[in-house]
Amino acid sequence: STTRPALDELLSVVLPGDTVCVWRLDRLGRNLPHLIELVTDLKSRGVGFASVTEQIDTTAAGGNTLLLSAEG
């Protein structure tokens, strides 16, 4: 199933300054392009992103660099 009502609801209520935190990256995106799209959208809305297992935090100094390198 490609419908994800809980994710849709989350994306509709997050506000600038919030941070979306997941246990693992695969809990947010179905594949790498989808994950990059979601994190890019969050960033454009002023929302941070963190993944506990992969120790990624876009609100920290090096967090955006890691995600940008995945895009290119």
Side-chain angles (χ1 to χ4, degrees), residues 37-60:
E37 177 185 331
L38 288 170
V39 174
T40 300
D41 175 61
L42 291 172
K43 181 180 177 184
S44 73
R45 295 168 52 189
V47 177
F49 172 73
S51 174
V52 175
T53 302
E54 291 83 7
Q55 299 178 352
I56 296 171
D57 184 351
T58 63
T59 64

Side-chain angles (χ1 to χ4, degrees), residues 8 13 15 17-19 22-23 27 33 35 41 49 64-65 67:
D8 293 341
V13 299
L15 300 171
D18 288 348
T19 299
V22 295
W23 176 247
R27 299 295 82 209
L35 178 64
D41 175 61
F49 172 73
N64 288 323
T65 304
L67 292 171

Side-chain angles (χ1 to χ4, degrees), residues 9-22:
E9 183 177 351
L10 170 71
L11 295 175
S12 73
V13 299
V14 291
L15 300 171
D18 288 348
T19 299
V20 172
C21 184
V22 295

